[in-house]
Amino acid sequence: MKHEITCTACPMGCRITVELEEAGGVRGGAGAGGESGVSAADVSNARITGNSCRRGAEYAWEEITAPKRVVTSVVAVKGQDRMLPVRTAQPIPKECIFAVMDAIQRIEVSLPVQTGQILVSNIAGTGVSLTASKNMMDIQGGFMRAR
Amino acid sequence: MHEVNVDLLIVGAGPAGLAAAIAAAEAGAGEIVLVDRLAELGGILQQCIHNGFGLRFFKEELTGPEYAQRFMDKLADFPQIRIKAETMVIEIAPDQRVTRVTTVNARDGLVIYNAAAIILAMGCRERPRGAINTPGTRPAGIYTAGSAQRLMNVEGFLPGRRAVILGSGDIGLIMARRLTLEGIKVEAVVELMPYSSGLTRNIVQCLDDFGIPLYVGHTVTEIVGRDRVEGVVVAPVDSTRVPDQKRAFRIDCDTLVLSVGLIPENELSLQASVLLDQATGGPVVDSDYQTSVPGIFACGNVVHVHDLVDDVSEESIVAGRSAAAFVNSRRDERDLCDRRDRRDLCDRRDASSALSFSEHRPDAFIETKAGRNIRSIVPQKLRRDRPTVLYIRVANPEQDVVISAGGLRRKLRQVTPGETVRLTVAPEHCSEELQLTVTVEKSEA
């Protein structure tokens, strides 16, 4: 298997190629540790080319074995005409993005809410919690911070 | 109408205004008024709900609202900062020893502040359809990226169902992902230039992740639809950016999102006779972020459009501290004059921060000059006595280059107009000359 990846570890944007033999196969070359059930043997046997640094190799390996993303969106707030921005507290597996979005779209929260407050623990079965991205208070004029 | 004397007034409470206000308060600026036209502080950060902010400044990855919240929390420690929300600044007029700032809001009516110093932190504006003269009808469904973003992220409305995005800068890319996540089909992102000016990370995570096609070297040549957008005509452009109509094709959509550039918001600066730089569209500033008008400072996107909010915070802290130093030196001067009743002392000002570059002898500052492949440099006037961080934007993408500023040289694997180069120039890098030329050259190696 051959994978082409654009590295985002820095602004260089190297085009990195990762070659894996069938059945998690074996090839010589540099590699680095990843996650999600890939053994160290698999890592050392991947053939990674086109990267300019070690970080690139690490990034490429994670991108093909267990790509992850932080999901951010907004949720409805009871009695307010403004949305509350939310985020997953950690990156979630890339293939779960739309399952997480589905779950987010069903949520309605009550005020007040503090930044970092957990709104849903284990969103869409990812094991990651959904948190509020800002303070919102239930006062006249929405969430304005008057002084 | 009534008049109020204050030490420092800051126009705009976005990332620039917030950082400047806190830095000025910490530096002992005295009584500070922070004015914003919206009810909520934080400016554009409040609608930038995506993550990626603060990697350099806070060493962690925050969303826009989280980044703003950090500063708003800190603001609460400074009771000397008075916040005037939902307040418009309608006029700025430099007077003898103060700057007169006319404000209006529903609660207080018209109030004039006589400020010893002010900081301009109004940010920037999006270029609309009219700025790029796209032909076609004028149906509903054409948005600037920022207004589509506000509708979705703050007000909770979807702008359409099938969208085309014109412009592949970071805002265009971020919106492509945002629309997709909410179930809107993004048919294409169209880019006039032969390359995207967005961060690589955004191309990967906003387009590649969702299989959204990017047409570089293309533009929208027509908008179709009577009441609502029904489609756009897209055509490739040649090296002089003239569209080839023979190869044009139509993409059906109900929404066109424009992400075609930002312009520093300088209506008030012009009114105050602040000198602007043609290359940045913002005020010419010195190492202290003081403009050509004494006592008027500027920071953030009003000075030049930034790629990263971290850079805004960094330069706004410099502006806030400098404004505080200005206010304090003017106060000392005034105290001295009052005590000894010697007006002549007031005129014998030394080369302190209480002077703008326009009042100094011409050799007191070094002027930065754009050399080969440089579009803009901020600050434009460097002080000779301290290091200054330069924010440099190149004109064209180039690989394996050396960027040099006076005696300072740095090798870079790649430069692109989408990513500002940050370079700290120290006095030893500068000669006795009045100019410091910044250039990008092909690396010899």
Side-chain angles (χ1 to χ4, degrees):
Chain A
M1 277 291 282
K2 197 170 162 182
H3 303 266
E4 290 236 331
I5 284 156
T6 306
C7 183
T8 65
C10 82
M12 285 275 301
C14 294
R15 295 290 296 176
I16 303 179
T17 307
V18 182
E19 283 179 82
L20 291 172
E21 281 195 357
E22 296 303 314
V26 180
R27 274 300 258 289
E35 293 181 47
S36 89
V38 179
S39 72
D42 287 338
V43 179
S44 63
N45 293 328
R47 196 173 126 90
I48 300 177
T49 51
N51 57 305
S52 308
C53 67
R54 187 174 174 81
R55 275 168 69 211
E58 287 170 15
Y59 171 83
W61 185 250
E62 181 164 303
E63 271 297 286
I64 61 156
T65 55
K68 288 181 173 169
R69 301 287 185 264
V70 168
V71 174
T72 67
S73 189
V74 292
V75 298
V77 184
K78 280 197 186 90
Q80 298 284 324
D81 57 2
R82 290 288 183 273
M83 307 296 279
L84 172 74
V86 296
R87 66 173 293 170
T88 58
Q90 282 94 36
I92 53 124
K94 197 169 123 181
E95 67 268 20
C96 300
I97 290 177
F98 283 99
V100 168
M101 280 303 296
D102 262 2
I104 288 174
Q105 279 160 357
R106 278 183 248 280
I107 299 168
E108 192 180 33
V109 300
S110 302
L111 298 184
V113 170
Q114 293 293 312
T115 307
Q117 184 179 325
I118 296 175
L119 304 172
V120 181
S121 53
N122 189 14
I123 182 114
T126 56
V128 171
S129 47
L130 187 79
T131 60
S133 284
K134 77 189 263 184
N135 296 359
M136 243 194 201
M137 268 148 290
D138 193 5
I139 55 169
Q140 192 65 34
F143 44 85
M144 101 171 239
R145 183 179 175 287
R147 205 196 312 155
Chain B
M1 186 186 84
H2 66 287
E3 300 205 10
V4 185
N5 294 329
V6 295
D7 292 304
L8 177 63
L9 183 137
I10 300 170
V11 189
L18 288 170
I22 292 163
E26 281 174 341
E31 208 185 332
I32 302 169
V33 174
L34 179 57
V35 181
D36 199 277
R37 65 181 165 197
L38 290 186
E40 187 183 31
L41 309 186
I44 205 72
L45 284 171
Q46 297 293 5
Q47 67 183 58
C48 298
I49 61 164
H50 53 278
N51 61 311
F53 300 92
L55 273 171
R56 208 177 73 232
F57 199 83
F58 290 114
K59 307 278 178 264
E60 57 184 304
E61 200 167 26
L62 304 171
T63 64
E66 286 174 322
Y67 191 95
Q69 194 69 53
R70 296 277 170 112
F71 285 88
M72 286 154 70
D73 288 348
K74 200 145 182 230
L75 207 60
D77 299 340
F78 299 99
Q80 69 268 43
I81 303 175
R82 217 175 346 135
I83 295 162
K84 286 287 171 192
E86 293 182 286
T87 303
M88 281 294 288
V89 171
I90 54 173
E91 193 181 359
I92 296 177
D95 206 345
Q96 298 288 336
R97 307 280 286 165
V98 295
T99 302
R100 286 168 65 82
V101 181
T102 309
T103 66
V104 64
N105 70 28
R107 208 169 34 247
D108 312 320
L110 207 59
V111 178
I112 294 175
Y113 291 94
N114 293 311
I118 70 165
I119 300 177
L120 305 171
M122 294 89 76
C124 60
R125 248 186 216 186
E126 294 179 282
R127 293 175 73 205
R129 176 185 178 182
I132 53 168
N133 292 322
T134 307
T137 51
R138 303 188 63 186
I142 305 167
Y143 303 87
T144 59
S147 37
Q149 189 179 45
R150 188 173 171 82
L151 278 177
M152 295 183 79
N153 296 350
V154 179
E155 296 172 21
F157 295 103
L158 297 184
R161 297 188 191 285
R162 288 176 79 184
V164 167
I165 298 174
L166 177 59
S168 68
D170 287 311
I171 311 168
L173 299 175
I174 293 288
M175 283 312 292
R177 173 175 62 188
R178 185 72 192 118
L179 291 161
T180 306
L181 285 178
E182 294 291 357
I184 295 165
K185 174 97 173 96
V186 178
E187 301 288 349
V189 175
V190 179
E191 169 63 54
L192 179 69
M193 301 302 285
Y195 52 86
S196 163
S197 59
L199 300 169
T200 311
R201 194 178 83 141
N202 285 334
I203 294 173
V204 172
Q205 297 193 356
C206 299
L207 299 188
D208 298 353
D209 273 7
F210 304 101
I212 299 168
L214 170 63
Y215 293 90
V216 293
H218 282 68
T219 193
V220 170
T221 55
E222 193 187 341
I223 298 168
V224 186
R226 215 182 98 85
D227 298 325
R228 177 82 196 188
V229 173
E230 289 165 15
V232 293
V233 177
V234 174
V237 296
D238 64 19
S239 57
T240 58
R241 295 180 216 165
V242 175
D244 179 358
Q245 297 291 4
K246 284 193 213 84
R247 289 156 64 206
F249 54 96
R250 177 176 159 146
I251 302 176
D252 288 340
C253 61
D254 63 13
T255 303
L256 176 65
V257 175
L258 300 174
S259 173
V260 292
L262 302 167
I263 312 159
E265 168 67 77
N266 277 293
E267 296 292 319
L268 289 170
S269 321
L270 283 169
Q271 208 179 46
S273 308
V274 167
L275 181 68
L276 300 189
D277 180 345
Q278 290 286 323
T280 57
V284 174
V285 292
D286 65 17
S287 298
D288 292 332
Y289 285 83
Q290 187 166 201
T291 68
S292 61
V293 179
I296 300 187
F297 296 76
C299 56
N301 279 351
V302 78
V303 176
H304 60 128
V305 177
H306 295 64
D307 311 317
L308 300 171
V309 71
D310 304 61
D311 292 342
V312 171
S313 302
E314 181 182 68
E315 79 175 32
S316 301
I317 288 169
V318 175
R321 280 186 195 141
S322 312
F326 179 95
V327 168
N328 290 332
S329 70
R330 284 270 158 117
R331 192 189 290 128
D332 294 347
E333 232 173 72
R334 200 171 55 226
D335 291 350
L336 207 63
C337 296
D338 289 349
R339 220 169 33 241
R340 299 185 188 170
D341 194 37
R342 285 201 31 205
R343 307 301 300 176
D344 58 316
L345 265 174
C346 301
D347 301 322
R348 219 188 61 216
R349 285 171 272 168
D350 59 4
S352 72
S353 53
L355 283 179
S356 156
F357 60 80
S358 60
E359 302 170 289
H360 272 288
R361 295 204 319 273
D363 60 349
F365 287 86
I366 302 163
E367 190 168 353
T368 55
K369 199 168 177 304
R372 183 185 169 276
N373 198 15
I374 300 291
R375 183 179 293 165
S376 66
I377 308 158
V378 172
Q380 293 86 347
K381 309 270 183 182
L382 308 185
R383 294 189 66 100
R384 289 188 183 275
D385 56 348
R386 71 187 81 150
T388 302
V389 178
L390 296 184
Y391 299 94
I392 302 157
R393 198 173 290 288
V394 301
N396 297 299
E398 217 172 356
Q399 300 212 327
D400 297 313
V401 294
V402 173
I403 188 160
S404 62
L408 180 65
R409 289 168 63 80
R410 194 195 293 166
K411 269 193 169 180
L412 295 171
R413 293 289 296 272
Q414 179 172 299
V415 289
T416 93
E419 284 171 33
T420 316
V421 181
R422 224 168 130 263
L423 217 54
T424 306
V425 199
E428 63 262 29
H429 298 128
C430 306
S431 60
E432 289 303 303
E433 286 169 41
L434 299 179
Q435 281 189 340
L436 180 83
T437 306
V438 181
T439 55
V440 171
E441 303 284 354
K442 271 284 183 196
S443 178
E444 296 301 315

